[in-house]
Each structure stands twice: as C-alpha cells, then as structure tokens.
Amino acid sequence: MIRPHRLFPIALVGLMAMLAFWLDQISRWSPSGKELDPSRPEYTVDDFSATRFDAQGRIQERLVAKQGWQFPKQPDLHLREAVLDSYQAGALAYRAAGAIARYNRQDGIAFLEQKAHFFKPGAAGQPDTHVYGSRITINTRTRVASAKTPVEIHYGESIANAIGFEYQQQKGLLRLLSHARVKYVQ
Amino acid sequence: EKADQKKPIEISADAGTLDQLKGVTVWQGNVIVIQGTLRATADQLTVTRDAQGRQTLQGIGRPATFRQKLEARPEYVEGQGSRVDYTSASNQVVLTGNARVKRGADVVTGGVITYNTETEVYQVSGGSVQGPNKGRVTVILQPKDEGQK
C-alpha cells in the first residue's frame, strides 16, 4: 500500500502540471475569442461623425454617415449616406458624398458607389465645381478624384458631360476622358 | 452676327483637359464649337482665358473650319485653314495654311487671311513663296445684281 505521505508529492506534481497547462492555454487565447463570421459585420455604427485634426489642431478630415460597418479582417469601412469633408490649412478643400461608399483606411481611397457627388469650392473668385456620377473614386492621399462612368460637371453656370473623368486637385487639372461635351456660359 | 457673342458656347469633342491654374482648356478629336450662328470644327482646339476673361481659341485641323451668319443679312461667311486663331478682345480670326474665306458668293484664298467678325472685313496675304499658293492671292468677287448695289 502506498502511504499518504508518499502520495502527496505525486499529487502535487500532477496538480502543478495541470496548472501549467491551463495557464499556457489561457495566455494563448486570442482576444477575439471565437472565429467571427467573415460575411457578417464585426461592428456597426449608426449616425456617427468622426473628425481628424492636423498637427496645428485644425480640422483635417471629417466623416459623417448614417451608418458604418466593417467586416472581420477587412480594411474597408463601409458607409451609408456618407459625407467626407477634407480640409487644407483649415479651409474646406473638397467634399465627397455618396449614398453607398467604402473607405479603405490603409491606402486612403474612398469609393463612392451610389449617387456620388464631389464638390470643390471655387478659389480666388473662381466658381465652385460639382461633379455628379454613379461612381467616383477619390484618393485622399494624392487628392485625385476619378471615374470611368458617365459624369456631369457643373462649373459655375457651365455644364460639362463626359464618360470618365480625372481631377487632380493639387494641380487644378480636370481631364474629360471621352464623349466630352460642355455648355460654357460666359 | 453680333448677338452670337452673348450666347453660351457649346463644345463637344472626344476628350478634354482643363488646366484651372493656367486657364487653358484643350479639346481633342472631332471638336465642334457652336455659339449662336457660329459653328467651328477642328481636330484640336485650345482655349486660353486670361485673368481679364479675354479668350483666344486656336483650332488645328485638316482643315479647321468656321461658319457664321452675317449681321442683318441671310448670308453666311465660311472660312477654313490648317489653323484658325480667334481672339475675342479684337474679334479677329486669322486663318493660316491653305486659307479660304467664302462670304456670300465671294471667295478669297491665300496663305493667311485675317477676318474681323465685328466689321466683317477680311485681309488676305499670299504667305510664303514656297507655300501652296506660291505667295499668290486669289479673290473672286461676284457681280452684284442691280438690286443688291
């Protein structure tokens, strides 16, 4: 028969082994817990506005949307009824709005995928510029707006239509890619 | 005619580029410009606008053409050239290269034709001797009927 005083150390060793195994499992436990369903949003946000400031504390970007959601492990922030205002030195440089939109935070590209509207206030006495289309892509890093689908551009009272456009905001360069038409009111 | 200048300008083309900083717009491919009775065509049209809003249009084509109704008369003036330059401040059209202007039944051809859309007066020079017109100018003026004198 094994005497109790001999059992104790064996039990202690077993207990310690179980404790070590349990602690090891706990420390390896991934924070998100169980695996998320990739086809369902990880989170949704309703009626929100998000503002980013520059080094001088001035507004740099402001995003307002009816709803936003993101899928697990996906960089895109999906938006509904979204308006993105981008500022330069505290003044509105342009506004991009869409009924449905996607904003990839990694590369700073916004895809306006329904009822797209791009607006640039006129500088130094020049008229405002409005671009309307079904889909417009905006690279917020290079400040280039573009589309490959039909767009209508209002420049003051003048109206231009084209299939496809590219607008380089920094250079003030607007290219109408094809089937360009303009009604220029002086 | 003078009323054209107040009318909107409609331009259609295969493609267009507007440089807001320089105030230069370039239209390329099957360019058609319509302003009231004025109709111009070109392969490429460059529109420059200065700070005072004065415009210059330069059309290049094979040929570049323009057509506009004369003031208070049912007749048209038609012009063509390899290059057509229009300056809004001076209402002057300069046609260069195989230039030809037809006004009513009168026809003028030469190396360079300058036409004023305000006064409807044109001036023609033969251009270089090596040019297709050999430095010569041709003017065909139709006799006016009794009633037209």
Side-chain angles (χ1 to χ4, degrees):
Chain A
M1 192 186 100
I2 301 173
R3 291 195 182 74
H5 65 280
R6 286 188 183 251
L7 262 182
F8 178 70
I10 297 169
L12 193 60
V13 165
L15 196 63
M16 293 301 291
M18 279 171 51
L19 183 61
F21 173 76
W22 180 65
L23 284 174
D24 177 55
Q25 284 303 308
I26 286 291
S27 60
R28 246 192 262 142
W29 195 6
S30 67
S32 73
K34 62 179 176 48
E35 208 53 39
L36 291 173
D37 178 348
S39 67
R40 295 164 63 92
E42 183 169 357
Y43 66 83
T44 64
V45 189
D46 295 300
D47 291 308
F48 75 93
S49 96
T51 305
R52 185 146 65 127
F53 300 91
D54 64 16
Q56 287 73 41
R58 294 169 304 199
I59 293 183
Q60 185 170 338
E61 272 171 353
R62 166 167 290 152
L63 174 63
V64 177
K66 193 76 181 157
Q67 190 178 45
W69 64 95
Q70 190 163 1
F71 291 99
K73 297 193 180 98
Q74 294 298 321
D76 287 350
L77 173 61
H78 293 259
L79 299 158
R80 195 164 54 81
E81 305 297 336
V83 178
L84 172 68
D85 285 348
S86 181
Y87 292 79
Q88 218 164 7
L92 182 64
Y94 65 79
R95 166 173 295 169
I100 296 290
R102 237 170 348 113
Y103 182 55
N104 186 310
R105 289 182 300 162
Q106 279 169 0
D107 51 27
I109 294 183
F111 302 90
L112 309 176
E113 294 175 325
Q114 228 181 69
K115 289 189 196 155
H117 173 213
F118 173 80
F119 161 69
K120 175 187 171 297
Q126 286 191 350
D128 294 344
T129 304
H130 291 269
V131 183
Y132 301 96
S134 52
R135 303 169 68 93
I136 295 178
T137 300
I138 292 164
N139 187 320
T140 60
R141 305 265 161 81
T142 60
R143 291 181 179 276
V144 173
S146 61
K148 293 193 167 47
T149 47
V151 288
E152 180 165 289
I153 300 168
H154 293 243
Y155 181 70
E157 290 181 63
S158 302
I159 298 176
N161 295 84
I163 296 178
F165 91 107
E166 182 188 75
Y167 179 64
Q168 298 175 35
Q169 198 244 333
Q170 311 266 43
K171 295 180 184 170
L173 204 59
L174 169 67
R175 289 177 53 233
L176 305 179
L177 302 184
S178 74
H179 297 80
R181 276 196 345 268
V182 67
K183 183 167 188 175
Y184 179 66
V185 177
Q186 309 190 61
Chain B
E1 55 186 8
K2 292 191 181 68
D4 291 343
Q5 288 185 12
K6 299 284 183 284
K7 303 267 177 63
I9 302 171
E10 298 191 27
I11 302 175
S12 60
D14 292 344
T17 300
L18 161 63
D19 188 325
Q20 288 176 313
L21 304 186
K22 294 177 186 159
V24 175
T25 305
V26 179
W27 301 96
Q28 285 158 315
N30 302 305
V31 184
I32 299 173
V33 180
I34 295 172
Q35 183 182 28
T37 68
L38 167 70
R39 187 177 192 281
T41 64
D43 295 336
Q44 175 174 305
L45 177 70
T46 303
V47 182
T48 307
R49 183 187 174 86
D50 67 15
Q52 287 72 42
R54 288 181 300 232
Q55 280 182 325
T56 58
L57 284 76
Q58 180 189 90
I60 295 170
R62 292 158 294 171
T65 71
F66 82 90
R67 182 175 189 269
Q68 186 174 29
K69 183 173 172 299
L70 293 173
E71 185 66 27
R73 296 210 304 274
E75 294 166 14
Y76 279 78
V77 61
E78 299 170 17
Q80 66 178 55
S82 308
R83 178 174 140 174
V84 177
D85 290 275
Y86 171 69
T87 308
S88 65
S90 59
N91 301 300
Q92 188 145 285
V93 180
V94 179
L95 300 118
T96 311
N98 291 318
R100 178 180 188 274
V101 169
K102 178 174 185 294
R103 192 176 68 176
D106 303 343
V107 178
V108 173
T109 60
V112 178
I113 300 177
T114 304
Y115 174 72
N116 187 305
T117 58
E118 184 88 10
T119 62
E120 294 176 356
V121 170
Y122 49 80
Q123 194 180 355
V124 55
S125 69
S128 83
V129 180
Q130 285 76 31
N133 308 78
K134 306 270 184 298
R136 310 278 297 168
V137 169
T138 310
V139 179
I140 304 169
L141 298 176
Q142 297 300 341
K144 295 292 182 285
D145 299 338
E146 275 308 312
Q148 281 181 305
K149 278 204 178 88

